[in-house]
């Protein structure tokens, strides 16, 4: 599964590719004919990817709601970031998006391009009425990104919740 923007190929990882990302990145790069230069796959982020791998394997018929999407820059096939829908649509038709970008690729508009494209894709899927997101209260760059993408703040406590 894939969606494109002017500068990015946004590609859903299959369950096998998701496992390779965790266990054999060089092999995944060869398979996708790309170079991974996005956020480091370590610490909390690695734990999140491992949890999503488990969810993807448990719901193999719907990987789009669990697996990660690579943001591949078309000009040089570099993976600049990734995004994920954290779960199937809930009873109210909401899906939550998460995303990350390699530091070297910040301030180039890649994430805005990707979030807008993935939200538009999600809103075309059956049962989806809203896309939500969560940011840290001090995550001003991510908050500005969501505002530019049309999200509005829904609540603010320990974190900020957003809705499109």
């Amino acid at each position: 599964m894939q969606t494109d923007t002017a500068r990015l190929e946004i590609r859903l990882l299959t369950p096998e590719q998701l496992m390779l990302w965790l266990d054999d990145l060089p092999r995944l790069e060869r398979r996708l004919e790309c170079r991974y230069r996005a956020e480091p796959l370590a610490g909390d982020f690695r734990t999140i990817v491992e949890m999503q791998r488990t969810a993807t394997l448990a719901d193999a018929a719907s990987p789009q709601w669990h697996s990660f999407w690579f943001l591949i820059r078309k000009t040089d096939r570099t993976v600049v970031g990734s995004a994920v829908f954290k779960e199937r649509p809930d009873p109210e038709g909401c899906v939550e998006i998460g995303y990350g970008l390699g530091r070297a690729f910040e301030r180039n508009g890649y994430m805005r391009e990707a979030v807008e494209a993935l939200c538009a894709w999600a809103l075309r899927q059956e049962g989806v009425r809203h896309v939500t997101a969560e940011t840290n209260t001090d995550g001003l760059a991510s908050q500005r990104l969501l505002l530019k993408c049309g999200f509005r703040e829904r609540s603010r406590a320990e974190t900020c919740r957003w809705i499109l």
Side-chain angles (χ1 to χ4, degrees), residues 29-148:
E29 289 176 320
R30 287 190 302 276
R31 286 251 176 103
L32 297 178
E33 298 177 347
C34 67
R35 294 178 314 139
Y36 185 84
R37 301 294 179 264
E39 66 275 39
L41 190 56
D44 289 343
F45 183 54
R46 183 177 182 83
T47 301
I48 291 166
V49 174
E50 289 169 343
M51 289 176 6
Q52 292 306 119
R53 173 176 62 175
T54 300
T56 301
L57 292 172
D59 187 11
S62 298
Q64 69 273 23
W65 303 123
H66 310 289
S67 190
F68 277 78
W69 301 72
F70 269 5
L71 315 179
I72 304 171
R73 187 168 54 192
K74 290 178 179 180
T75 56
D76 61 1
R77 305 282 306 153
T78 295
V79 178
V80 300
S82 64
V84 66
F85 293 103
K86 297 179 180 181
E87 185 60 68
R88 285 177 169 266
D90 69 15
E92 289 79 40
C94 294
V95 293
E96 183 176 349
I97 192 170
Y99 47 84
L101 197 64
R103 287 204 185 277
F105 308 106
E106 292 175 351
R107 301 192 193 324
N108 289 295
Y110 294 126
M111 194 51 72
R112 180 177 180 180
E113 224 173 285
V115 168
E116 287 177 341
L118 284 169
C119 288
W121 174 87
L123 291 168
R124 290 191 304 269
Q125 305 311 302
E126 185 176 335
V128 177
R129 294 192 355 240
H130 297 285
V131 179
T132 63
E134 180 179 29
T135 63
N136 292 328
T137 54
D138 62 351
L140 299 179
S142 193
Q143 292 173 24
R144 282 191 301 271
L145 166 74
L146 292 171
L147 286 169
K148 288 177 185 176

